[in-house]
Amino acid sequence: MKQEQFTSLRSSTQEEYGQVQTLCDIIKAANEEKHFKSTQEVFEGISPIMARYIKRGTIGELTRQHIQAGLLNDESLFCNGQLDCDALRKKLLESITTDKDDKFERIMAQRDVFKFVGLLMYFNCFRKYTSVEQIREDFCQHLFNEEKPDGDLSKSWLNDKMFFCFPMGGHAYPYFSFFWALESLWKYVSDENGVLDNEKLQKKMIDEYQTCKKEMGLEAIVEAHYSDDGPCHPEVFFPNTEEFYGPVLVAVENERKFIESCGEGKGPNRYPFGYEQALLQRIRTNNKRND
């Protein structure tokens, strides 16, 4: 029986799988075979994988197909009148991957699925979904639609800005800053022979910042590990990459709070959720329900 009505969306975790973790996982997967000894080797070694990712788009074709084909009608995704986003994430990932997929495809698929579910949960803050049909209408008619004048935004507007300017250069944050930091921090992420160590890479480039944020808070992290961008942009703080890596942080609300920037701290990618807001704007323009 088709599940049409529900009361709300739920998720037991705030788990995310962002573009920097995706990049880190791609590097680790490639390093299992290539045993990189320098940042340049890393950069050259993952170039073919980055080319595949660019063509994939933010929300991959298989994800779009499964949503359009009715995956959201699966009764196992619902509990006590709620759409379980954790179950949806798991079901969708199982649906779009197979045992034949290589490790890079699985990494890309995980990013794909987390991004779709993240979009769904973000949209729900404004759209207040109560039925599968409302979700399908927003996504399939207004986003997954190549007949729109600006095309299928889920794939044509590549959310992962770090891949726009490949190869590395310019302001391709956070991709550019990741490699910039990796060059400075190589001694912390390599073994005694100078070979990249996957566990050290994960710890230094991902886990250390997350642990500090949880234990110290952003204000204390800025004090300990960041420097401001100078008199032109004193509200923008960059990590001191000789010892620490993290996202660019921007001070708001009289510099007592900070946001994690998706870009270099200023310009169009200054604030998070820019991609989500752009997609939501198309939906709200074409379907004003609950807005």
Side-chain angles (χ1 to χ4, degrees), residues 15-18 22 53 56-64 66-67 71 85-97 105-121 139 160:
E15 188 176 6
E16 297 180 357
Y17 190 69
T22 303
Y53 195 94
R56 184 189 187 90
T58 299
I59 308 296
E61 181 179 358
L62 286 177
T63 296
R64 298 194 302 272
H66 276 81
I67 297 303
L71 179 140
C85 289
D86 299 326
L88 172 59
R89 188 185 296 115
K90 181 179 179 180
K91 182 73 174 182
L92 188 52
L93 189 59
E94 291 174 348
S95 298
I96 68 173
T97 58
E105 178 63 26
R106 287 185 170 274
I107 292 169
M108 296 174 192
Q110 180 156 303
R111 167 64 175 164
D112 182 323
V113 168
F114 269 78
K115 195 62 185 178
F116 170 76
V117 175
L119 282 171
L120 174 58
M121 296 181 68
F139 278 87
D160 294 307

Side-chain angles (χ1 to χ4, degrees), residues 10 30 56 63 84 111 169 179 237 239 267 289:
R10 74 171 189 179
R56 184 189 187 90
T63 296
D84 187 337
R111 167 64 175 164
F179 275 91
F237 293 84
R289 177 188 58 79

